[in-house]
Amino acid sequence: MPTTGYAERQYGGVTVLVGGELGAYPYANSVLVRGTAETLVIDPSLSLVGTAPPADLVLVSHAHEDHVAGLAEYEVPVRIHEKDLAALRSREIMVEGYGLPSDATEHTHAMLRDHFHVRDRPDATGFEDGTVFDLGGRTVTVVHLPGHTAGHSGFLIEPDGFLFVADIDLTSFGPYYGDVGSSLTDFEASLRRCRDFGVRWYGTAHQKGVIEGAGEFARRLDDFVEVVEKRDATLLAFLDEPRTVEEIAEHRLVYRPHIQGPHVEPVERRTAVQHLDRLIDAGLVTEVEQGRFRAT
Ligand SMILES: [Zn+2]
């Protein structure tokens, strides 16, 4: 059974609510931002269930269950990027975004409902890049960082100089762009964008926690980006003879061999297609016959 409860860590006027297991999935890190007039919470996680601090407003970085598992605690306005809005309003649409085989959909639906307390939030409204929330003496500005999901967003908190980068989470797993609405191209642009902020603190939603200093953040970002390059290299090596997308998915670019589940094949397939596309664009791979690809 998951435990609840979080640890508070202070970064200037920003409070990070470190979730269970340092915020590793199924947990996550939430952020509490207090101004003189209003308080908001970002990404209420599973660890806030039963212990959620009061807030006037909830912001959600993107519509994945680990970022909204504590949302049912809040009967206040909730905002998310307009491109993830439909998935927050409807759990059914959230599940569709995972693009699972139809026989796995019901199980996922039940898991989101029972373990992550995800319920429809038809009252949720959208924000866009650059939307500013003025809490009184402290602002939170939306920084759209798409790729992980289409609406995935970070939040710049000033004057503290804290950028919440959510699921640009810097873990060794690397960037995840395996949903139906994910985009590797957008993810890479988002990684470039958040590199240029030059703030004091960078808060991730998971176990890498908060990184201090732009230099250290850039180094961690390099390692994170390198995972994408390794996936390219793995794919190129595998394409020493013609292969289908199905064979690439089976070979795997994302998950280690012991990982099983209905999500593995579709995520591997969508990831493989995106890597194939960019290697073809770069002239490193060619479609030698219908549906079979080979390194040039
Ligand atoms: Zn996510």
Side-chain angles (χ1 to χ4, degrees):
M1 275 302 287
T3 55
T4 59
Y6 54 82
E8 291 193 14
R9 298 267 183 281
Q10 205 64 33
Y11 302 90
V14 178
T15 309
V16 174
L17 312 175
V18 181
E21 295 170 17
L22 295 176
Y25 185 92
Y27 304 102
N29 301 322
S30 308
V31 180
L32 186 69
V33 191
R34 288 195 184 95
T36 54
E38 276 192 276
T39 296
L40 66 75
V41 67
I42 301 169
D43 282 4
S45 78
L46 194 54
S47 298
L48 269 57
V49 174
T51 59
D56 305 299
L57 172 68
V58 177
L59 303 181
V60 177
S61 65
H62 64 293
H64 275 165
E65 69 278 3
D66 46 327
H67 298 260
V68 299
L71 185 56
E73 304 282 307
Y74 291 98
E75 297 296 335
V76 299
V78 53
R79 310 275 304 264
I80 188 167
H81 192 278
E82 45 203 23
K83 290 199 168 161
D84 274 22
L85 180 56
L88 186 61
R89 285 181 170 170
S90 154
R91 187 175 60 222
E92 202 150 321
I93 293 172
M94 189 185 290
V95 173
E96 278 172 18
Y98 289 122
L100 300 170
S102 54
D103 58 349
T105 302
E106 202 171 316
H107 170 79
T108 304
H109 210 75
M111 182 188 74
L112 264 50
R113 184 190 59 218
D114 301 336
H115 296 285
F116 291 92
H117 318 290
V118 178
R119 61 178 173 86
D120 295 352
R121 287 297 296 248
D123 59 309
T125 57
F127 56 57
E128 56 188 26
D129 186 53
T131 300
V132 179
F133 299 92
D134 189 344
L135 307 180
R138 184 161 281 118
T139 59
V140 178
T141 305
V142 174
V143 181
H144 186 206
L145 298 169
H148 179 70
T149 67
H152 182 272
S153 295
F155 301 98
L156 176 65
I157 304 160
E158 292 171 307
D160 309 279
F162 187 105
L163 180 67
F164 183 65
V165 292
D167 272 3
I168 298 180
D169 64 14
L170 307 176
T171 59
S172 59
F173 180 84
Y176 171 92
Y177 35 87
D179 281 13
V180 175
S182 297
S183 161
L184 171 54
T185 307
D186 288 352
F187 209 132
E188 290 187 305
S190 294
L191 293 171
R192 287 192 294 273
R193 185 177 181 195
C194 64
R195 192 183 286 268
D196 292 334
F197 271 82
V199 295
R200 179 161 181 196
W201 292 293
Y202 299 82
T204 73
H206 293 292
Q207 62 269 32
K208 295 298 176 186
V210 176
I211 312 300
E212 180 156 11
E216 180 60 16
F217 180 67
R219 275 189 289 281
R220 306 275 194 121
L221 216 45
D222 287 341
D223 293 344
F224 196 58
V225 171
E226 209 175 276
V227 177
V228 178
E229 289 155 12
K230 278 186 188 145
R231 289 173 187 155
D232 270 340
T234 301
L235 177 54
L236 265 179
F238 186 60
L239 296 181
D240 60 343
E241 53 182 274
R243 314 274 191 182
T244 63
V245 169
E246 199 173 46
E247 287 167 334
I248 299 164
E250 212 169 295
H251 183 67
R252 296 189 178 196
L253 302 175
V254 180
Y255 294 109
R256 300 179 74 87
H258 69 280
I259 304 292
Q260 298 295 330
H263 63 295
V264 171
E265 194 278 335
V267 168
E268 290 286 352
R269 185 166 29 80
R270 285 188 290 267
T271 302
V273 167
Q274 294 182 82
H275 280 270
L276 267 179
D277 284 348
R278 62 199 234 127
L279 291 175
I280 290 168
D281 284 348
L284 297 171
V285 167
T286 175
E287 191 169 7
V288 287
E289 55 182 283
Q290 180 71 32
R292 297 181 79 80
F293 302 88
R294 183 183 184 143
T296 55

